[in-house]
Amino acid sequence: MRTKMGQGYELLQIVDREHGMYHQLNVKRSFGFLWSNQGGSVGMPIDSEVLLSFQGGGAIIGKYLHSFYVGQLNDPQISSLQIRWSDGVEQEAGIKDGLYQVARVIRSKKNEELRSRDDKLFAYDAKGQLLYELDRDRREIRSDLDKNA
């Protein structure tokens, strides 16, 4: 899956089903055809017991903060995911094959932290009913645990 971040960067999600992992890469196309890697994850395990997860990261590249959220969704009731960033911007997440990602680039302020302050993930069913809300304190819903815990 590819998601445009801004400033010419894209977030690539690579799925390795054979080893049960997924990875993200921040990349930029140089000279119109060469990809240059600007960072990413070391890989996260795919776990069928995870109904929804909320993992994020970011990096300051130049004067810009490149932020992203990725995760798994294995609840068939979920039809859409929305991120509300700490500055109030709302963004729909791209979903494909039980995984999702969303990314953006904002101009970095002096001493701005990379950690997600009040960013939240909202999961909705096909009728627009809220199913789950995740944030930095609650990052995962599992099928092998009580959904409402």
Side-chain angles (χ1 to χ4, degrees), residues 70-90:
V70 298
Q72 302 175 67
L73 64 147
N74 292 306
D75 185 336
Q77 292 182 58
I78 297 173
S79 66
S80 68
L81 296 171
Q82 186 174 43
I83 300 291
R84 186 175 63 220
W85 299 89
S86 60
D87 62 0
V89 171
E90 294 183 355

Side-chain angles (χ1 to χ4, degrees), residues 8 39 48 51 58 62 64 77 79 81 90 106 115 123 126-127 129 132 135 139 146:
S48 62
L51 294 175
Y64 294 88
Q77 292 182 58
S79 66
L81 296 171
E90 294 183 355
I106 58 171
R115 65 186 171 95
K127 295 180 181 177
Q129 296 294 319
Y132 307 109
D135 57 29
R139 297 227 180 237
D146 182 3

Side-chain angles (χ1 to χ4, degrees), residues 52-109:
L52 183 63
S53 65
F54 185 51
Q55 303 298 321
I60 295 178
I61 302 173
K63 296 180 181 180
Y64 294 88
L65 174 61
H66 295 70
S67 297
F68 67 88
Y69 284 102
V70 298
Q72 302 175 67
L73 64 147
N74 292 306
D75 185 336
Q77 292 182 58
I78 297 173
S79 66
S80 68
L81 296 171
Q82 186 174 43
I83 300 291
R84 186 175 63 220
W85 299 89
S86 60
D87 62 0
V89 171
E90 294 183 355
Q91 194 174 1
E92 194 81 17
I95 299 172
K96 185 177 180 184
D97 298 328
L99 299 169
Y100 76 88
Q101 68 181 25
V102 63
R104 72 187 281 223
V105 174
I106 58 171
R107 189 160 178 89
S108 179
K109 296 180 176 84

Side-chain angles (χ1 to χ4, degrees), residues 10-23:
E10 293 186 43
L11 182 66
L12 302 182
Q13 188 173 77
I14 300 168
V15 180
D16 180 356
R17 297 265 181 215
E18 181 180 341
H19 296 100
M21 303 286 291
Y22 65 103
H23 317 266

